[in-house]
Amino acid sequence: GGARRARARARSRARRPRRPPMVVLKQRFLLFEVIFDAAGKPGHIAEEDLLKAITEALSSNWGLVGEAQAKLRLMYWSPSVHFGIVRCAHGSGEALRAAMSLV
């Protein structure tokens, strides 16, 4: 009875190919607001220009390797209220926060 079922289960497990464990890459999300200079009028900022400014600030302070490791992606940008969300790699959160303050 029970021993036969246990052997059958062991045989079926032995025939199945082992799959590698899933790799989950952790990410950080940063919500930010663009605040304009008091002397200048608030204007329209395109997504491409904003992402270019962020990547330039990151690469000028942490180099091309730091920029590549960050794996930046602009997830959301609202030109009307000047809020956005940037996604980056887990270990690059602090570097991204510092680079955002330098934009």
Side-chain angles (χ1 to χ4, degrees), residues 1-11 13:
R4 190 174 4 179
R5 271 188 252 132
R7 279 185 297 222
R9 266 189 267 135
R11 266 183 292 186
R13 266 190 243 128

Side-chain angles (χ1 to χ4, degrees), residues 20 23 25 32 43 53 55:
V23 177
L25 300 175
F32 65 93
T55 54

Side-chain angles (χ1 to χ4, degrees), residues 25-28 62 66 69-70 88-96:
L25 300 175
K26 294 184 179 181
Q27 300 168 343
R28 293 282 185 226
W62 283 272
Q69 287 175 345
C88 70
H90 180 70
S92 302
E94 293 294 320
L96 176 61

Side-chain angles (χ1 to χ4, degrees), residues 33-45 77 79-82:
E33 178 185 10
V34 175
I35 301 172
F36 292 93
D37 186 16
K41 289 185 175 180
H44 176 77
I45 299 175
W77 170 243
S80 59
V81 292
H82 307 293

Side-chain angles (χ1 to χ4, degrees), residues 4-97:
R4 190 174 4 179
R5 271 188 252 132
R7 279 185 297 222
R9 266 189 267 135
R11 266 183 292 186
S12 68
R13 266 190 243 128
R15 281 185 252 146
R16 277 189 248 153
R18 289 190 57 97
R19 290 184 284 164
M22 294 289 290
V23 177
V24 178
L25 300 175
K26 294 184 179 181
Q27 300 168 343
R28 293 282 185 226
F29 292 87
L30 180 69
L31 173 69
F32 65 93
E33 178 185 10
V34 175
I35 301 172
F36 292 93
D37 186 16
K41 289 185 175 180
H44 176 77
I45 299 175
E47 283 187 34
E48 298 83 27
D49 297 334
L50 181 64
L51 188 58
K52 184 178 178 183
I54 295 169
T55 54
E56 284 177 359
L58 196 61
S59 65
S60 67
N61 292 293
W62 283 272
L64 294 175
V65 175
E67 179 189 344
Q69 287 175 345
K71 299 177 185 175
L72 290 182
R73 181 158 182 212
L74 184 63
M75 302 300 293
Y76 175 77
W77 170 243
S78 173
S80 59
V81 292
H82 307 293
F83 274 96
I85 299 173
V86 177
R87 182 181 76 189
C88 70
H90 180 70
S92 302
E94 293 294 320
L96 176 61
R97 191 180 316 164

